[in-house]
């Protein structure tokens, strides 16, 4: 692909510290590259993918993913934070394959003045628009009814052979044991019927789901869960901090 010779290969600038505070610690672009590699190993990645990144944040996977995509590919990142989207448009939007859109979904953490309840969010794209949907550190900030809504919308916009790569906090036996020892962050000390919260005053700060409820929600949305990998938050070896679940259209 000779056209790739003309793409900039140096990393974009780091987002400013006031924005990075909302996306976690660590080497920003290194984590992005590692996440893209994990996506490739878990659900596969081809050069012509149409990708939707739900909760794209500051585009941490957008730039490293663009290194893997061909000129006919398309990446759309959506996020509830206008500040994040504006930064992505300014610093990553020079690549015409990459598009960033602000969705005014209400979030106590990222968009408290949003006009759209998360449980009523409707994606703007038609059915079967995407080959791959990525949702990293999204469902860890959505309450149960919003989680079900987003899973349903993801299933709707996936192609019949489409795949979902998503991360969660899953309250499996390993997770519950780590929480009981006080060895986790978030702490998840506050139970709800579907799982546990880190901070009941701000439920969207961090939420973990019981695996039974989560798998039923995935199935109700029209998806079939596949590969699952435990996260480092439980104190055991894992490919990333949160738990990974891959899914496909049923």
């Amino acid at each position: 692909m000779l056209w790739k010779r003309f793409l900039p290969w140096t990393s974009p600038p780091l987002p400013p510290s006031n924005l990075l505070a909302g996306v976690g610690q660590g080497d920003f672009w290194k984590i992005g590259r590692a996440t893209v590699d994990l996506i490739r190993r878990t659900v596969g990645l081809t050069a012509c993918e149409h990708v939707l990144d739900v909760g794209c944040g500051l585009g941490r996977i957008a730039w490293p993913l663009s290194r893997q995509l061909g000129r006919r590919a398309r990446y759309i990142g959506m996020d509830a934070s206008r500040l994040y989207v504006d930064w992505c448009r300014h610093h990553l939007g020079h690549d015409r394959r990459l598009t960033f859109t602000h969705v005014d979904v209400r979030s106590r953490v990222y968009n408290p003045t949003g006009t759209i309840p998360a449980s009523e969010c409707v994606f703007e794209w038609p059915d079967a628009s995407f080959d791959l949907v990525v949702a990293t550190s999204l469902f860890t900030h959505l309450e149960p009814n919003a989680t079900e809504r987003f899973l349903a919308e993801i299933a709707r916009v996936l192609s019949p052979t489409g795949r979902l790569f998503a991360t969660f906090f899953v309250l499996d036996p390993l997770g519950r044991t780590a929480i009981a020892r006080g060895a986790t962050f978030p702490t998840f000390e506050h139970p709800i019927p579907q799982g546990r919260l880190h901070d009941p005053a701000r439920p969207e700060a961090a939420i973990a789901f019981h695996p039974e409820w989560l798998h039923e929600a995935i199935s109700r949305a029209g998806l079939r869960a596949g590969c699952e990998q435990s996260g480092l938050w439980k104190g055991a070896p894992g490919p990333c901090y949160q738990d990974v679940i891959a899914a496909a259209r049923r």
Side-chain angles (χ1 to χ4, degrees), residues 157-192:
V157 300
L158 274 175
S159 70
T161 57
R163 301 98 66 213
L164 167 64
F165 176 95
T167 64
F168 299 84
F169 290 120
V170 182
L171 294 170
D172 59 12
L174 189 62
R176 293 194 298 271
T177 299
I179 291 169
R181 293 200 316 267
T184 68
F185 185 83
T187 58
F188 297 126
E189 296 176 344
H190 306 279
I192 59 173

Side-chain angles (χ1 to χ4, degrees), residues 12 14 57-58 63 68 72 83 86 110 119 126-127 134 140 142 148 152 158 163 176-177 193 212 214 227 230 239:
L14 282 176
L58 290 163
W63 182 79
Q68 308 293 320
R72 295 181 181 177
L83 288 175
D86 287 347
Y110 294 103
S119 60
D127 297 359
V134 177
T140 54
L142 290 179
E148 293 193 273
L158 274 175
R163 301 98 66 213
R176 293 194 298 271
T177 299
E212 299 82 7
L214 179 57
C227 173
S230 290

Side-chain angles (χ1 to χ4, degrees), residues 77-97:
M78 60 174 279
D79 203 272
S81 169
R82 187 176 292 280
L83 288 175
Y84 289 178
V85 170
D86 287 347
W87 189 91
C88 289
R89 287 172 175 169
H90 182 72
H91 293 282
L92 304 173
H94 62 276
D95 188 331
R96 294 184 179 180
R97 299 169 302 159

Side-chain angles (χ1 to χ4, degrees), residues 11 28 79 174 216:
S11 299
F28 186 77
D79 203 272
L174 189 62
E216 288 174 3

Side-chain angles (χ1 to χ4, degrees), residues 39 151 207:
I39 292 169
L151 284 169
I207 185 167

Side-chain angles (χ1 to χ4, degrees), residues 82-243:
R82 187 176 292 280
L83 288 175
Y84 289 178
V85 170
D86 287 347
W87 189 91
C88 289
R89 287 172 175 169
H90 182 72
H91 293 282
L92 304 173
H94 62 276
D95 188 331
R96 294 184 179 180
R97 299 169 302 159
L98 309 182
T99 302
F100 299 91
T101 184
H102 174 247
V103 181
D104 199 27
V105 171
R106 189 180 309 129
S107 166
R108 295 176 183 88
V109 177
Y110 294 103
N111 190 24
T113 62
T115 59
I116 304 169
S119 60
E120 299 175 14
C121 180
V122 177
F123 296 178
E124 64 184 80
W125 303 281
D127 297 359
S129 295
F130 297 96
D131 307 300
L132 171 64
V133 174
V134 177
T136 57
S137 201
L138 168 74
F139 294 109
T140 54
H141 300 290
L142 290 179
E143 294 183 76
N145 56 354
T147 290
E148 293 193 273
R149 181 65 178 187
F150 272 69
L151 284 169
E153 282 297 283
I154 286 170
R156 181 182 65 78
V157 300
L158 274 175
S159 70
T161 57
R163 301 98 66 213
L164 167 64
F165 176 95
T167 64
F168 299 84
F169 290 120
V170 182
L171 294 170
D172 59 12
L174 189 62
R176 293 194 298 271
T177 299
I179 291 169
R181 293 200 316 267
T184 68
F185 185 83
T187 58
F188 297 126
E189 296 176 344
H190 306 279
I192 59 173
Q194 301 86 356
R196 285 178 168 265
L197 301 176
H198 173 66
D199 180 1
R202 293 197 311 159
E204 293 140 314
I207 185 167
F209 293 117
H210 295 307
E212 299 82 7
W213 181 88
L214 179 57
H215 282 85
E216 288 174 3
I218 290 171
S219 180
R220 285 193 298 269
L223 298 167
R224 180 183 69 254
C227 173
E228 298 189 30
Q229 303 174 71
S230 290
L232 297 169
W233 75 279
K234 298 170 178 174
C240 62
Y241 193 70
Q242 298 174 7
D243 303 311

